[in-house]
């Protein structure tokens, strides 16, 4: 026992000495504000994906405020948002009747070495291509894959960087999208990052355990490749199986983007998404095509977008309120990042 | 009237001073920061100090090649945006440092400035948004002209600070100083 404590003390002393050599960073402060106008061709809210919900209204997204500080090998991030996108339309806050705020990130990280770090707290999920913050997405509306997957995970994770081209993360997490666990630390997750060539990064993700619907396992591939200065291609594919054949989903989304001018990029999102069959109930499937432009000037990004979705089972409505296989919308969004 | 004249010349002087705070351009039209320093140490000492300086930046400055009278290194400096007391990184500028020594003098220049913008990732960390860098000399479009001007000015300011640190390092024997700092002093004997 004495030897063990001595060893721990020695490691702690060494770490402390190394930490003293690493200077602290200034306090980082950043954030964003976003607002939008949407016109749905059915003259009512129709497409059932997250955010951009209001028809024929100049509506709010969210104000997002983030702090980060690193001292030696330890760092923290605290990020909080207010507004529909960050409050009523985000899952943890919806449970609190949408009257509160939404923590986007709240975690502490410690770099044991240049290659090994551990992180604990509440973090943006490692699953999927799209995120809650509009600053992190090219398209302003979101995909079915994003809407149905996890938004955030609370937990503890360890990341080991083998090189700039390969890293591995493994962690234990609460059930999805909750500040505190309802069924204990019940999920295990992992992420393998590979970067086979310069500009191409791929993440292979697995998360298995408790989720809002029960228990299940999600496998996810998220990758993007900056093929040339003007052309970038992204891909997200995911498969989610719930325990006891209780359903799930599978889908794939492709994100080609072309920079047509110094400050203007045009991108497409093409998505196929299918809910799995549950017993005799057949799962329904969606296809969606979204054409988006990003026009940047300093911190401001102006995002015009047209979106057309299709589902043969006619889950949408038309102008008269009847069922329809197609839905469409046009939106204009302004996102300012600082 | 004399006050107006003084004010006029003051504004001209300020404008000229502001204009000087930017990169010069080399024969190939690339931005360059160039200095010759006279009344320096011997060639061998200068090279030892230059190599020690490069190695002291082990994460942000990598030696490319060196001879007994020159050293070349590739470096990166992070550009920040400051809001009151807080700031966050907005991108990084890579550069090439060349340093050549002769007896009692040396010269150095920084060139090949290229910019990679940072974006905020899902964990609220600022990371490079692309691997493809843009030369700092490029003429930006109208929409991003203001932002690009700020980036070039910040890169110049960082370059001047870097040059000052290099000149300080080459003016004194850092290795000797480090040895003195680590010396053990005993109070048991006089």
């Amino acid at each position: 026992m004495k030897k063990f404590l001595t060893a721990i003390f020695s490691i702690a002393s060494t770490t402390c000495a190394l930490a003293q050599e690493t200077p602290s960073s200034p306090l980082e402060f950043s954030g964003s504000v976003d607002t939008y106008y949407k016109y749905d061709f059915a003259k009512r809210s129709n497409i059932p994906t997250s955010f951009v919900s209001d028809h024929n209204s100049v509506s709010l997204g969210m104000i997002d405020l983030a702090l980060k500080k690193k001292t030696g090998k330890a760092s923290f991030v605290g990020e909080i948002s207010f507004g529909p996108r960050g409050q009523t339309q985000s899952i943890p806050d919806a449970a609190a009747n949408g009257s509160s705020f939404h923590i986007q990130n709240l975690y502490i990280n410690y770099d044991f070495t240049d290659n090994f770090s551990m992180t604990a707290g509440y973090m943006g999920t490692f699953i999927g291509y799209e995120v809650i913050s509009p600053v992190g997405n090219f398209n302003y509306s979101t995909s079915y894959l994003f809407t149905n997957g996890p938004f955030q995970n609370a937990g503890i994770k360890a990341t080991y960087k083998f090189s700039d081209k390969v890293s591995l993360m493994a962690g234990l997490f609460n059930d999805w999208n909750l500040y505190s666990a309802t069924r204990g630390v019940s999920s295990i997750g992992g992420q393998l990052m590979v970067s086979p060539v310069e500009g191409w990064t791929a993440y292979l993700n697995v998360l298995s355990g408790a989720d809002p619907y029960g228990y299940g396992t999600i496998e996810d591939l998220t990758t993007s490749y900056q093929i040339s200065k003007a052309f970038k291609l992204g891909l997200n594919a995911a498969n989610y199986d719930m325990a006891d054949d209780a359903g799930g989903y599978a889908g794939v989304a492709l994100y080609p983007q072309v920079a047509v001018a110094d400050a203007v990029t045009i991108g497409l999102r093409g998505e196929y998404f299918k809910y799995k069959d549950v017993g005799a109930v057949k799962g329904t499937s969606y296809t969606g095509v979204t054409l988006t432009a990003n026009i940047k000037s300093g911190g401001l990004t102006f995002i015009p977008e047209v979106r057309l979705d299709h589902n043969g089972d006619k889950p949408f409505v038309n102008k008269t309120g009847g069922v329809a296989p197609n839905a469409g919308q046009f939106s204009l969004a302004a996102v300012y990042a600082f | 009237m004399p006050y107006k004249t003084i004010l006029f010349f003051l504004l001209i002087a300020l404008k000229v001073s502001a204009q000087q705070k930017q990169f010069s351009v080399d024969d190939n039209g690339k931005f360059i920061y160039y200095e010759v320093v006279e009344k320096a140490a011997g060639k061998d000492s200068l090279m030892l100090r230059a190599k020690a300086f490069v190695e002291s930046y082990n994460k942000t400055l990598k030696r490319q090649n060196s001879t007994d009278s020159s050293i070349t290194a590739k470096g990166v400096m992070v550009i920040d945006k400051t809001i009151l007391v807080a700031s966050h990184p907005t991108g990084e500028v890579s550069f090439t440092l060349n340093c050549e020594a002769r007896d009692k003098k040396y010269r150095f220049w920084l060139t090949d400035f290229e910019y990679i913008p940072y974006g905020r990732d899902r964990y609220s960390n600022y990371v490079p948004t692309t691997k493809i860098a843009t030369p700092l000399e490029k003429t930006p479009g109208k929409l991003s002209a203001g932002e690009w001007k700020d980036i070039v000015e910040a890169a110049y300011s960082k370059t001047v600070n870097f040059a000052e640190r290099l000149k300080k390092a080459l003016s004194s024997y850092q290795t000797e100083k480090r040895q003195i700092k680590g010396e053990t002093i005993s109070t048991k004997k006089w």
Side-chain angles (χ1 to χ4, degrees), chain A residues 285-310:
Chain A
S285 63
Y286 293 86
T287 50
V289 178
T290 308
L291 181 65
T292 306
N294 277 198
I295 304 158
K296 286 180 182 286
S297 178
L300 174 67
T301 307
F302 188 58
I303 311 174
E305 184 173 288
V306 178
R307 176 173 179 159
L308 301 170
D309 285 21
H310 172 78

Side-chain angles (χ1 to χ4, degrees), chain B residues 139-154:
Chain B
T139 310
K142 277 183 185 173
L143 285 173
S144 49
E147 189 183 18
W148 194 255
K149 184 171 166 277
D150 292 345
I151 291 163
V152 174
E153 282 178 3

Side-chain angles (χ1 to χ4, degrees), chain A residues 27-31 64 66 68 77 79 105 107 114 124-129 199 228-229 262 296-297 338, chain B residues 59 81 83 85-89 120 122-126 129-134 138 140-141 143-144 147:
Chain A
L27 180 69
E28 283 182 18
F29 176 57
S30 60
D64 184 45
K68 180 182 177 183
V77 168
E79 183 185 356
N105 279 292
Y107 65 82
D114 285 347
T125 185
F126 57 96
I127 303 280
Y129 194 90
S228 69
K229 192 164 178 59
D262 188 41
K296 286 180 182 286
S297 178
F338 56 90
Chain B
K59 282 182 185 168
K81 180 187 275 184
I83 307 162
V85 293
S87 68
H88 68 76
R120 214 174 64 179
R122 61 186 67 205
Y123 308 116
S124 212
N125 295 311
Y126 279 89
T129 54
T130 174
K131 292 279 182 184
I132 300 172
T134 305
K138 76 143 202 178
L143 285 173
S144 49
E147 189 183 18

Side-chain angles (χ1 to χ4, degrees), chain B residues 59-79:
Chain B
K59 282 182 185 168
T60 55
L61 198 56
K62 304 273 185 202
R63 191 198 302 193
Q64 297 295 295
N65 56 56
S66 61
T67 66
D68 61 346
S69 62
S70 71
I71 185 166
T72 304
K74 284 268 190 192
V76 169
M77 47 199 174
V78 174
I79 305 295

